Each structure stands twice: as C-alpha cells, then as structure tokens.
C-alpha cells in the first residue's frame, strides 16, 4: 500500500512538473517545481498556504522597502483608516487600568443615539465581562466591532448611578477622520492638521476650509507633520485647491508604466491667500506630494525639517483569499523633476528604517549647517526660479531644528510608561462635571485653566510607584512647563476634541510659531 501511495504522489508530481515545464518562464517553472516537491515529498506535514505566503514575502523582501505582502486580516486592518470608515459602536475610548472608559461617543453615532456618555465604563459585551479580566485592547475592540446592523448588548457603569445600565447598540458605519484639527490659530489665519490621506480627506478638507472661511480666514497653516501619506488621488485633489487649472502637481514614472502626469483639474478655491506647509522627518508619501507641489509651483512656503523621502508608487494586487501584494511600479517626481524617494539598498530594510536615527546622529535634524547638497541635486521652482533640492524628501524653505532638550528624561519616561495618559484619564473622569460647569467654553478654559498642583502630584506619585523619578530637583523643575502644557492639552481633548488639543499644544511649537512669524502682515 505504501509503495502505491508513493508512486501515486510521484506520478502527480511528474504531471505537475510537466505542466510547469510547458511555461515559457524558467524562473516560474523553478518556483512551481520547488513548491510541489516540498508539499509532496517533505518529511513533515507542511501548510501549503503558509508556504506560498512565505515565498511571496521572501521575494518582496529582496526588492525595495515598500513592496509588501499582507494576509487577509492584515489587509482589512490596513485599509480601514484609508477607506474612511469601519463598522462598530462609535466611541473613542481608553483603558484605565483594566477598564474601558468612554472618552467621547462619536457625534451622531450609534452609541450617542442610545445615550452612552463620556465617562461611562463599558464592563460587558453580550454578557461577557471585559472589565477586571485583563482582556487585551485588541480583543475588546474585536468584541465591540461587527457588521453593520448587528446589535452589541452592553453593560455600562456610570458615575453617580448605583445600578449597571444596559444598552443595545446597533452597529453602523463609523467614520474615520483624517483631519485632526481645524481652528483659527490667529485672527485671519486658519490652521488645518491632516494625519493621513484617505478616501475622505479631500471632502473633509473642503468642509474645514468652509468652516475657516466663515471665521474670517485669509491665510492658512497646513500642518503635515507626522503625516505618513495615503492615497495619491486624495493628495492630488487637495493640492489642486491651491493651484490653477492645468498646473502640474506630481508625475510618476516607472519601467513598465511610463510617465503619468497629475494636474489640477479645475481652478483651486484657495489661490490668493498665503500658505505655509509644516513638515518634519516623518512627513511621507502623499503628504510629500502636496508639499512638493506647493513649493515647486511657488504657491507657498515650507517650514520644518526634510521630509521622510517615500516616493515609491505601489500598485495593490488583490489575491483571491483577500490578501494583497503592494508592488512598487514607479517613482514620484515633483513638478520641477525632483525624485521624492530617498536612496536605498535593495533588501536592506534595516538600514532604511534607521535613516531618521542616522539623520539625528549626523546632526541634520538639529543644525542646518550639517546639511549639504551636491550641485547635481539643485532644481528650480517653476515660477520664481528659486533653488530647491532633490536627493530624497522635500527640503523646507525655512529650517527649524529639532529641540532635543525640550523634554527631560523624566518626562520621556513618564510618557513612555503611559503615566501621563492614565493620570489624565483619572483626573478628567473624576472632575468632568465640575470642569464643564466652570469652563463652559473652550476659550474660557484656554484662558483660565491652570493645571492644579494635586494633578501634578498624582503624576509624580504614580511615576515613583513605577520607579520613574527625576534625577534631582533641577530636572523636576525643567520638566514642569512641558508637563503642564501636555496635561492641559489632554484635558482639553477629553472635554472637547483634537482641535482644542492642538490649539493648546501648538502655542509652544517652534515649527508652528515660525510659520506664524512668516504670516505676520
């Protein structure tokens, strides 16, 4: 019997090998034979799906740093922020120790509609306890999310109410916003901060601009610090709002794809007011497209530090099981002809990932004098013929060094161990009603609220419990200004939203303040 099975396996392998040999591509034939041999003859049982996935990952790892493979689950999770929505109950939450505390229900979302409030504690979902059981945040999210139309049966504990409350929340599409903040940072000057470029970013941007116009905006600060990119079309549409019809925004070029130009398809709605774009070493991809277009077309000024330099175009290739290959097919070029992509060595992702650290070591992030460009990297802007530089990323017109001394070691450790976040949640949870009563508007809060000493003492005391202590009294005192600013901003976020957070935190941002100097009359 064993001999018959072996002969059968070998016969099948020969048939498959013969089929592979009929292909024109020797490399493909070789790969097919290897997979079939392993699955048919290897000493132990193998998972053929995993075998194929490992082969795909292995091939892509030898290419550029941005060609990747994701399985079906990873692909779904990766696409949710870019698609602009997910399906769930619609709450912003955080974990205080092992209990889920609602920060804010999503406006007009399913939880708000049934009466769930900020400060509520969700302790059970479908009769399964999620509080006091050391359940991971990922597992809790899995229980709260679900297909639109399904019901999440929640048990909620509310301060001041003795009984546990029960809510049936009908899950729905929950919008994921890519614009973090929109507000008037100074009279006549609007501020918009964009976290990524998703399917909804352009529409969100238009809504933000309408809001700012109504408040008297004449000039704009566009904050793209830390923006990792996203959809090319969203970036092109947004950049077009600052340009004239037909202006070149970006072009792509690849071995098999040829050159493709992306131009403004209509007259932009904001072509007159001044624009300052804020960038840093983590501004990448689609955000670099917007920055490069505004700079090369002499439409605005760029402030900050050289951007990341992610200028490779990926084409998504959907596979039958829901997995995806994102394969690099071209490079991005700014209107003046600068390649956005920084240099890289194929297959050496470690060196590529350490680039920002190396920039810090080399002094590029802290001193403009450490930045040198070869003459071959000089380009000219299209209207005013100013010199701009290629070589990867977008070099700003106005360099702002990274302040490495701003945060003390004590402050960084408190933040890294989540002490600041956790104590802020406790403070707001305990004082929410009093704070809202005392500061009914954000303007009043911004003007009058001072972080109380007992709040500071809570943070310092919790740090001591986790063996986080200042080196001496001098370090403690140097920590205080930034710690108080951060705590005030976090309280504002939890009482209102992210716009209010940035309205406080930006007041001591060197990059933001340099932009405001440029926009002075």
């Amino acid at each position: 019997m064993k001999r018959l099975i072996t002969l059968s396996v070998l016969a099948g392998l020969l048939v498959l090998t013969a089929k592979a040999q009929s292909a024109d591509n020797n490399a493909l034939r070789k790969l097919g034979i290897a997979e079939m041999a392993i699955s048919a003859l290897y000493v132990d049982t193998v998972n053929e799906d995993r075998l194929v996935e490992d082969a795909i990952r292995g091939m892509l790892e030898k290419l550029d740093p941005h060609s990747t493979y994701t399985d079906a689950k990873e692909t779904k999770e990766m696409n949710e922020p870019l698609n602009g929505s997910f399906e769930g109950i619609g709450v912003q939450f955080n974990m205080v120790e092992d209990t889920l505390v609602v920060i804010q229900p999503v406006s007009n979302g399913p939880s708000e509609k049934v009466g769930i409030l900020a400060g509520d504690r969700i302790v059970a979902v479908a009769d399964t306890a999620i509080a006091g059981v050391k359940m991971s945040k990922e597992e809790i999210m899995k229980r709260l999310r679900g297909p639109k139309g399904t019901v999440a049966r929640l048990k909620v504990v509310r301060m001041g109410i003795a009984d546990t409350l029960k809510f049936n929340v009908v899950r729905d599409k929950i919008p994921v916003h890519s614009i973090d903040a929109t507000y008037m940072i100074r009279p006549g000057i609007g501020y918009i901060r964009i976290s990524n470029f998703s399917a909804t970013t352009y529409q969100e941007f238009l809504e933000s601009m309408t809001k700012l116009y109504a408040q008297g905006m004449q000039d704009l600060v566009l904050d793209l610090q830390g923006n990792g990119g996203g959809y090319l079309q969203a970036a092109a549409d947004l950049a077009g709002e600052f340009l004239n019809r037909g202006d070149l925004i970006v072009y792509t070029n690849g071995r098999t794809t040829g050159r493709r130009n992306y131009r403004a398809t209509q007259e932009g709605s904001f072509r007159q007011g001044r624009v300052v774009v804020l960038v840093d070493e983590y501004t990448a991809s689609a955000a670099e497209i917007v920055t490069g277009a505004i700079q090369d077309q002499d439409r605005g000024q760029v402030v900050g530090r050289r951007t990341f330099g992610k200028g490779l175009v990926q084409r998504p290739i959907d596979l039958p099981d829901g997995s995806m290959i994102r394969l690099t097919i071209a490079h991005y070029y700014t209107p003046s002809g600068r390649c956005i992509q920084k240099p890289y060595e194929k297959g050496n992702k470690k060196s590529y990932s350490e680039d920002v650290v190396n920039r810090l070591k080399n002094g590029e992030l802290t001193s403009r004098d450490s930045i040198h460009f070869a003459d071959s990297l000089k380009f000219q802007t299209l209207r005013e013929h100013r010199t701009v530089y290629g070589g990867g990323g977008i070099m700003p017109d106005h360099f702002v060094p990274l302040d490495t001394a701003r945060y003390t070691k004590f402050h960084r450790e408190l933040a890294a161990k989540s002490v600041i976040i956790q104590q802020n949640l406790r403070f707001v949870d305990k004082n929410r009603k009093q704070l809202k009563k005392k500061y009914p508007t954000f303007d009043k809060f911004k003007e009058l609220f001072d972080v109380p000493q007992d709040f500071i003492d809570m943070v310092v005391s919790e740090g001591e419990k986790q063996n986080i202590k200042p080196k001496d009294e001098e370090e403690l005192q140097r920590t205080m200004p930034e710690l108080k600013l951060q705590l005030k901003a976090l309280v504002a976020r939890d009482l209102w939203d992210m716009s209010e957070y940035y309205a406080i935190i930006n007041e001591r941002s060197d990059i933001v303040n340099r932009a405001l100097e440029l926009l002075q009359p």
Side-chain angles (χ1 to χ4, degrees), residues 8 60-62 88-89 97 111 138-139 149 161 169 179 195 271 274 277 304 323 338 388 391 404 430 446 459 467:
S8 175
L60 294 175
E61 284 173 359
K62 299 300 182 183
I89 67 168
E97 295 176 347
S111 288
E138 291 72 22
E139 181 63 25
I161 304 295
V169 182
I179 291 185
S195 61
R271 303 193 312 280
R274 293 174 296 172
V277 183
S323 59
R338 293 179 287 167
V388 289
T404 56
K430 181 180 178 181
K446 185 179 180 183
V459 174
N467 202 30

Side-chain angles (χ1 to χ4, degrees), residues 294-314:
I294 289 174
Q295 187 180 56
D296 280 8
Q297 294 287 358
D298 291 298
R299 179 58 190 88
Q301 301 182 74
V302 180
V303 172
R305 295 179 289 276
R306 181 164 67 94
T307 60
F308 184 84
K310 197 277 187 185
L312 297 175
V313 185
Q314 280 76 52

Side-chain angles (χ1 to χ4, degrees), residues 71 76 83 111 143 176 210 427 429 455 493 514 516:
D71 61 30
K76 184 175 183 294
N83 289 338
S111 288
R143 294 176 183 276
V176 177
T210 299
F427 175 80
D429 192 45
F455 190 5
R493 179 202 67 180
R514 181 69 179 111
L516 294 176

Side-chain angles (χ1 to χ4, degrees), residues 245-447:
R245 182 192 297 272
D247 283 349
L248 183 62
I249 294 168
V250 68
Y251 67 90
T252 62
N253 204 356
R255 178 177 64 87
T256 63
T257 58
R259 173 165 171 161
R260 180 178 179 186
N261 294 326
Y262 290 80
R263 298 183 181 276
T265 58
Q266 59 188 5
E267 295 294 316
S269 62
F270 193 72
R271 303 193 312 280
Q272 303 303 320
R274 293 174 296 172
V275 182
V276 179
V277 183
L278 311 184
V279 299
D280 62 13
E281 56 276 12
Y282 297 107
T283 303
S285 188
E288 293 176 289
I289 289 171
V290 173
T291 307
I294 289 174
Q295 187 180 56
D296 280 8
Q297 294 287 358
D298 291 298
R299 179 58 190 88
Q301 301 182 74
V302 180
V303 172
R305 295 179 289 276
R306 181 164 67 94
T307 60
F308 184 84
K310 197 277 187 185
L312 297 175
V313 185
Q314 280 76 52
R315 173 174 291 171
I317 301 170
D318 296 311
L319 301 176
D321 63 349
S323 59
M324 176 188 289
I325 293 173
R326 292 176 57 81
L327 186 66
T328 297
I329 60 168
H331 288 84
Y332 289 124
Y333 295 85
T334 71
S336 68
R338 293 179 287 167
C339 181
I340 292 175
Q341 179 61 42
K342 63 187 176 186
Y344 62 88
E345 178 186 347
K346 287 184 178 179
N348 189 352
K349 291 190 177 182
K350 184 175 185 294
S351 175
Y352 188 80
S353 65
E354 293 174 348
D355 177 63
V356 172
V357 175
N358 291 332
R359 290 192 205 181
L360 179 61
K361 290 179 179 177
N362 296 336
E364 180 189 325
L365 302 184
T366 54
S367 172
R368 188 174 192 122
D369 294 338
S370 300
I371 305 168
H372 303 285
F373 292 100
D375 287 343
S376 61
L377 298 178
K378 290 183 177 180
F379 291 77
Q380 300 293 311
T381 61
L382 302 187
R383 287 176 166 77
E384 298 177 8
H385 308 293
R386 296 180 299 115
T387 297
V388 289
Y389 297 95
I394 305 296
M395 186 66 190
D397 303 301
H398 303 273
F399 175 78
V400 178
L402 177 67
D403 185 357
T404 56
R406 179 174 178 179
Y407 298 103
T408 64
K409 182 174 182 287
F410 178 50
H411 192 163
R412 291 196 300 270
E413 288 182 351
L414 288 172
K417 294 290 183 67
S418 299
V419 173
I420 296 171
I421 290 288
Q422 289 296 320
Q423 295 310 306
N424 169 72
L425 287 168
R426 286 194 175 94
F427 175 80
V428 175
D429 192 45
K430 181 180 178 181
N431 299 286
R432 184 183 299 273
K433 286 185 178 180
Q434 300 95 304
L435 289 167
K436 292 291 279 187
K437 183 178 180 180
K438 188 173 182 179
Y439 307 104
T441 66
F442 171 68
D443 288 341
K444 189 172 183 179
F445 173 89
K446 185 179 180 183
E447 178 187 357

